[in-house]
Amino acid sequence: MKKSKLSLLLVLSLVLSMFLAACSGGDKNEGKDKNEGKNNAGTEEQLADEQVLNVLESAEIPAMDSVMAEDTMAFTTLNATNEGLYRLDPDQKVIPGVAEDMPTYNADKTVLTIKLKKDTKWSNGDPVTAHDFVYAWQRAINPDTASPYGPYFMMGKIKNATEIVEKKAKLEDLGIKAVDDYTLEITLVRALPYIESYLAFQLFYPQNQKFVEAQGADYAKDAAHVLYNGPFKMTKWDGPTATEWVLEKNETYWNAKDVTLTKINFNVSKDPQASANAFTAGEADITPKLAQAAILSQYEGTDELLRYVEPSIWWLKMNEKNPALKNVNIRKAIALSTDKKALVEDVLANGSVPADYLVPKGFSFLDGKDFRDTAGTYLKTDKEKAKQLWEKGLAELGVKEIAFTYVGQDTETAKTTDAFIKDQLEKNLPGLKLTIESVPFKIRIDRENKFDYDLLMGGWGPDYADPMTYMDLWVTDGGQNNMDYSNPEFDKAIKAASEDLAAKPQERWKTLQDAEKLLLEDDAAIAPLYQRAVNILINPKVKGFAHHAFGGDYSYQWIKITK
């Protein structure tokens, strides 16, 4: 494998859209018959003399502060450079990280006691202690920090988190306590059936208080202003606009003996064809997620193409601060107008599937049954009905035409997808005029957070192993709602599934399914489009690559490069 910097290859346009927060993946063997063993860390083949990996990514890293991170690039990089109590292994199982073992519980499973390993260190040599977790969690829930994920993740789950956000309790009242340097006690509002996968998420990583406070406003602005306690440390990263960065093996990591890679070079490649060209030329070992059929067709049937359907859903968000989008008939018309089958087969052509649902297929199971097996399908494409509802909505608003601003990303795949949707909506909804604004990923997040759009192409991958990771996005004034949607009945259902029904799994399941129907069929709050398939090119000499269902997209620590 060549170790070129890729400078000349990477003067590029943009690639596959990335989604807010979060974390994509799927069963490691799903849909990859010709790629068996890709996630198997073990290999009997002879190792290459140099264990250096060259990776292309489709976007820059917006943040390296685990408390402020809110996107898949940040979560994936944090997953490589830092470690929380738990992490996912290549088989999607939750395994101990800094924790010595899995939690012990009190009788009603609301109090967790977790013992920490005593040989975990920060990259500056400081020990990682229980106090580092307490500090990070308190910083995440502190209203002054304005963490995008802290309140969303903790309120209603961690004791006193809601009260702290509402300034009715002090930070030290948060339900996490250092019993001693290496013992944590976590108190929940109520038992959470998904607590162990929940604690594996990057928001809950520790932070070294002395270091963070010493850096002040410079904390996490570049590689030199972050500490690392994970398999790798970042030795080059000039901040959120950097298009290349470097990770090197972290010799202070507690399990460094089992990390084979010595270095990972990352470059941002935003053009799918250029990424494929770099891969073919031997300049890259792993590409970004590719979507173009013309590119993928060149690799069909080879051991270089890894394909799997991940549990991420893509949708149109409709900002109800716009009076026209407060009208349910207008929203339903938009949701019914796009030919999803044509979108996935003719535009994306990458194995993605139409989504007439919110909670993805193949992700959530109860007693061996998929959430989707007993749930309905909603907002299937129906262009005639869409036109009728559109005309009804226009009449209710007393207008004949509507103009919307549609915010998408500036990747080539996103531009193609957005152009198709614009054509579908304008063709099927007479009087609609869409102006597409294609912006970089970080700006798209910012505009979403600020409600600065009418329609927005967005999506979500799960943050933990439960349908709630999709459902509670839409509660009134929720931290990830950002479209002014509100329905008291929906809020009531989510509250019940979060609180009263925690010990009644079957009833809870049904309540969440009913809430999904309310959100989509009754309210058309969002317009689901497709469940995404991932296609990436991987050098067959790279063994042990692991992709995940939630949290960071990938893990690199089990990779070994063979001759």
Side-chain angles (χ1 to χ4, degrees), residues 106-365:
N106 69 342
D108 65 0
K109 293 194 172 183
T110 60
V111 179
L112 293 69
T113 301
I114 301 174
K115 294 287 186 178
L116 308 187
K117 294 181 174 74
K118 295 183 180 180
D119 57 348
T120 59
K121 294 183 178 181
W122 292 104
S123 50
N124 67 352
D126 288 352
V128 178
T129 71
H131 305 286
D132 296 329
F133 286 93
V134 173
Y135 171 70
W137 288 32
Q138 289 180 353
R139 184 166 173 258
I141 200 62
N142 188 339
D144 294 339
T145 305
S147 166
Y149 259 52
Y152 160 67
F153 245 70
M154 294 192 199
M155 290 176 68
K157 300 179 179 74
I158 306 299
K159 183 179 178 181
N160 287 326
T162 300
E163 289 77 5
I164 292 169
V165 171
E166 295 173 349
K167 298 187 177 180
K168 298 176 181 177
K170 300 176 181 178
L171 285 178
E172 53 266 33
D173 296 330
L174 186 66
I176 180 170
K177 180 172 67 175
V179 177
D180 56 46
D181 286 351
Y182 296 99
T183 306
L184 269 177
E185 184 179 275
I186 298 170
T187 304
L188 308 177
V189 175
R190 61 195 55 81
L192 297 178
Y194 48 85
I195 182 61
E196 291 172 3
S197 64
Y198 173 81
L199 291 176
F201 193 68
Q202 283 68 39
L203 175 76
F204 297 118
Y205 282 8
Q207 293 188 341
N208 183 306
Q209 181 174 2
K210 181 176 68 174
F211 182 86
V212 173
E213 293 180 350
Q215 309 311 306
D218 288 336
Y219 177 64
K221 77 170 188 179
D222 55 35
H225 292 84
V226 187
L227 281 186
Y228 312 99
N229 75 317
F232 302 93
K233 59 184 179 181
M234 186 175 269
T235 57
K236 179 180 180 180
W237 179 62
D238 295 331
T241 62
T243 58
E244 58 181 53
W245 55 94
V246 177
L247 306 186
E248 296 184 24
K249 181 176 177 177
N250 181 9
E251 296 294 347
T252 65
Y253 179 52
W254 68 271
N255 198 29
K257 64 181 177 59
D258 290 334
V259 177
T260 302
L261 285 181
T262 60
K263 187 176 184 180
I264 311 176
N265 299 309
F266 290 86
N267 284 269
V268 174
S269 171
K270 298 179 177 180
D271 182 293
Q273 187 60 63
S275 296
N277 291 345
F279 179 83
T280 301
E283 303 288 349
D285 300 311
I286 301 177
T287 69
K289 298 170 184 177
L290 303 175
Q292 281 73 0
I295 297 173
L296 297 176
S297 64
Q298 302 171 40
Y299 296 92
E300 288 288 351
T302 73
D303 60 358
E304 297 172 318
L305 178 63
L306 171 63
R307 171 179 292 165
Y308 56 94
V309 177
E310 65 180 1
S312 68
I313 302 294
W314 287 79
W315 49 58
L316 286 183
K317 293 186 77 168
M318 295 177 275
N319 184 4
E320 295 186 31
K321 285 187 178 293
N322 184 318
L325 291 169
K326 275 291 185 189
N327 185 288
V328 67
N329 290 313
I330 294 295
R331 296 199 305 272
K332 285 184 177 180
I334 291 171
L336 296 173
S337 291
T338 298
D339 188 334
K340 302 176 192 180
K341 187 171 184 290
L343 173 61
V344 299
E345 293 183 358
D346 302 332
V347 179
L348 297 174
N350 65 353
S352 296
V353 296
D356 301 316
Y357 45 81
L358 172 61
V359 179
K361 296 178 179 178
F363 166 63
S364 303
F365 298 88

Side-chain angles (χ1 to χ4, degrees), residues 374-542:
T374 52
T377 54
Y378 314 106
L379 301 175
K380 291 185 177 181
T381 303
D382 188 333
K383 297 179 181 180
E384 285 302 316
K385 184 176 181 181
K387 185 176 180 180
Q388 295 170 9
L389 292 169
W390 179 255
E391 292 173 348
K392 183 177 180 181
L394 291 180
E396 290 168 346
L397 293 169
V399 299
K400 294 184 178 180
E401 297 180 346
I402 296 178
F404 289 139
T405 297
Y406 177 116
V407 174
Q409 279 182 236
D410 59 355
T411 69
E412 292 305 312
T413 300
K415 289 177 181 178
T416 302
T417 300
D418 295 342
F420 174 81
I421 293 172
K422 171 182 167 71
D423 177 72
Q424 290 280 296
L425 294 182
E426 291 184 341
K427 183 185 298 181
N428 297 319
L429 304 176
L432 174 61
K433 175 65 176 177
L434 288 184
T435 299
I436 295 179
E437 296 184 4
S438 301
V439 300
F441 177 53
K442 185 174 182 179
I443 294 175
R444 196 215 76 190
I445 292 176
D446 185 62
R447 291 190 61 170
E448 183 175 7
N449 289 341
K450 292 178 178 176
F451 295 77
D452 185 14
Y453 69 93
D454 295 318
L455 303 180
L456 181 140
M457 170 63 81
W460 194 260
D463 296 326
Y464 49 89
D466 189 84
M468 189 61 79
T469 189
Y470 287 92
M471 299 303 300
D472 66 1
L473 297 173
W474 316 110
V475 297
T476 301
D477 296 326
Q480 301 297 327
N481 186 316
N482 295 333
M483 59 183 192
D484 209 37
Y485 169 72
S486 177
N487 185 323
E489 288 301 310
F490 181 82
D491 294 347
K492 181 180 178 181
I494 298 305
K495 186 175 186 294
S498 300
E499 301 176 7
D500 307 332
L501 303 177
K504 302 176 181 179
Q506 295 289 350
E507 192 174 342
R508 177 177 181 271
W509 205 254
K510 179 64 165 56
T511 298
L512 289 172
Q513 291 175 333
D514 290 345
E516 182 187 49
K517 178 179 182 295
L518 176 64
L519 181 81
L520 298 181
E521 184 172 280
D522 296 354
D523 290 347
I526 59 170
L529 293 167
Y530 63 94
Q531 182 171 345
R532 187 170 69 177
V534 170
N535 295 265
I536 56 179
L537 301 178
I538 302 183
N539 188 324
K541 295 181 180 180
V542 175

